[in-house]
Structures are given as C-alpha cells and as structure tokens.
Amino acid sequence: MIDNPYLPHLGHLTAVEPLGTGIKLFKVQFDDPAVARQFVYEPGQFGFLSAFGVGEAPFGITSVAGIDQTVDFAVAKVGTVTHALHEMNPGDVVGVRGPMGNCFPMPEIKGKNVIVLGGGIGGAPLRPVITSILNDRDNYGNLSILWAARNPSLLVFTDEYDVWRQAPRTQLHLTVDEGNASWSGHVGLITQLLQKVAPSPDNATVIICGPPIMIHFAIIELQKMDFTSEQIITTLEAKMKCGIGKCGRCNMGEKYVCLHGPVFRHSEIKDFLESFV
Ligand code: FES
C-alpha cells in the first residue's frame, strides 16, 4: 500500500466500454490486492486517473464499493489526459489516486423521498447513489430519477435504465435538449422536465449533478417548488492538481472543492454558485 498521496496506485483496465458519443467507462482493477481491499469509498467521492507519460485528471467514481469488483470512472474525451485514456484498451496499465473528497449523506437520506437530477456526463457520480438506493430499497422512500443530456447519444448508463424503471417506487424521466428521428421521449431542458414531474418537497432530498449552469437553474425551479437550501445537495467541479487540500487550485471562497467537497449542501455554496454562473 502506498502512503504517499501523490503517488498513484497501479492498476490495469479490465474493461473499456462506450457510454455515449465521446464518453467511455473505464473499469480499473488494482494490481496489489491490499490496495483493492483498502480502497474503500462512498458515493460522491472522486479519484485521479492517470495515463502514464501524459498526466492525470480527477473523475467522480461511478462504481459502488463492495458491490462492483472494479473502480469505475466515466470519462468524456475533452482534453489531453482524456484523449490518452480514450486510446487505451483492456489490459493497459493506469494509475489511480484516491479516494478523495466527501460523499453524499446516504445514511441521512434514508427514509426520505429522493429526487436525483443528472445532466450528461456530469451526472455520472449519481450512478452509485442510484445503485446504493436500489440495493437497499426498503430503507429509502420514493426515488425519482430525472436524467438529461444534450442529445440521445450523450445519455449515459442507458443499459441500466430498465433496471431503474423496474425497481419498486422508482421512476425514470429522461429528456434531451435536441431529439433525433429515433427519439420519442421528452425534448427540452431538465428544468422543463422538473416542472412537468413537479416533485413534492415533503420529506424529500434532491441531489443534483451536472454542469454549473444546469445546477443553477434547476435550483431556481426547486425553490419555486418550496424546496429549501437544506434539502438540496449538489457536487461542484473545479480545476484540481493535488486533490488533498495543499495546492489551493480548487478554492471556492474559503473552501477547497477537493477537501470540503465535492459534495455540498446548497446552503453552503449558494453565494458562490450565483457569482459563478
Ligand atoms: S486540488 Fe489542490 S487544494 Fe484542491
């Protein structure tokens, strides 16, 4: 086990799967079984994935510890590191630093109705929230999943939608900003879908992940529906280097996204969020 937090744990890719246009799922198995045992994480935490010789970048972990045998990351091809990762194949060696950051308050939301809003690849950290709830279904209330993307080819985790739909007390609502010839579902922004679904704030918690602009406008809609800032939980993205609160790269006011986040209650970040959008 490596104690230096700047050194990645070595692993290899057991699978590289397409998730959407320009988006792939990378499944990592650690080479050292002791690392695999000690790499314990919760929904919402993130890790740095390295393409050796190119660099590393932070990604939300999309698997569930103790259920999935690998540590999984959903990666959109948007920069140098992600381009290098997208060239990789099963069997290739990668590095992982983490787990880092805080997590969604899963014990606190037990017994509550949960509404999750996911936008594009930014919604990937919600997959472990959904899986955790479905694997412990009796301990949570109603689950409403509002899932959005710019177009149908960018909807992620599509092969899990039937499982989500068929789970007890669970509804999946999809929307895309722009449809195509084969799309017969809802077309429009996630805020419009939110108005249509109109979830009740009674005994409810909302978890939102996606681009900051989506989070900002979704929260405005939720507040019109009488959700309080305490009921709204979100994640923030930031430029990161160290991931452990040392470099100051991810600061947001007095907080560091890597250390105090990436999960925040809306009441903690509303001033920042308004100036950011
Ligand atoms: S990434 Fe260095 S302080 Fe957060």
Side-chain angles (χ1 to χ4, degrees), residues 122-170:
L126 289 172
R127 189 252 179 194
V129 172
I130 295 166
T131 306
S132 297
I133 292 174
L134 297 189
N135 285 330
D136 188 16
R137 196 66 200 90
D138 290 347
N139 280 318
Y140 294 88
N142 192 65
L143 173 61
S144 298
I145 305 167
L146 282 71
W147 210 245
R150 284 204 314 276
N151 63 58
S153 79
L154 295 173
L155 285 167
V156 293
F157 299 111
T158 51
D159 57 353
E160 301 191 25
Y161 293 173
D162 283 345
V163 173
W164 297 355
R165 283 191 184 102
Q166 288 160 17
R169 294 172 291 117
T170 303

Side-chain angles (χ1 to χ4, degrees), residues 48 239-251 256-259:
F48 279 76
K239 286 198 175 1
M240 290 189 194
K241 190 163 180 65
C242 70
I244 52 173
K246 303 290 185 195
C247 71
R249 188 89 176 266
C250 68
N251 78 300
Y256 289 149
V257 173
C258 70
L259 199 60

Side-chain angles (χ1 to χ4, degrees), residues 128-246:
V129 172
I130 295 166
T131 306
S132 297
I133 292 174
L134 297 189
N135 285 330
D136 188 16
R137 196 66 200 90
D138 290 347
N139 280 318
Y140 294 88
N142 192 65
L143 173 61
S144 298
I145 305 167
L146 282 71
W147 210 245
R150 284 204 314 276
N151 63 58
S153 79
L154 295 173
L155 285 167
V156 293
F157 299 111
T158 51
D159 57 353
E160 301 191 25
Y161 293 173
D162 283 345
V163 173
W164 297 355
R165 283 191 184 102
Q166 288 160 17
R169 294 172 291 117
T170 303
Q171 304 86 41
L172 172 64
H173 307 275
L174 301 174
T175 189
V176 293
D177 296 355
E178 293 173 24
N180 58 25
S182 60
W183 179 257
S184 58
H186 188 274
V187 176
L189 300 174
I190 198 167
T191 46
Q192 294 167 311
L193 183 66
L194 188 55
Q195 289 165 355
K196 186 176 164 202
V197 174
S200 166
D202 293 343
N203 191 36
T205 295
V206 184
I207 304 179
I208 312 176
C209 292
I213 192 85
M214 182 208 102
I215 293 172
H216 175 76
F217 285 107
I219 288 173
I220 290 173
E221 287 304 321
L222 289 163
Q223 289 176 321
K224 288 181 196 163
M225 296 171 186
D226 293 332
F227 283 86
T228 67
S229 282
E230 290 300 313
Q231 289 177 284
I232 302 170
I233 296 165
T234 187
T235 57
L236 290 183
E237 293 172 4
K239 286 198 175 1
M240 290 189 194
K241 190 163 180 65
C242 70
I244 52 173
K246 303 290 185 195

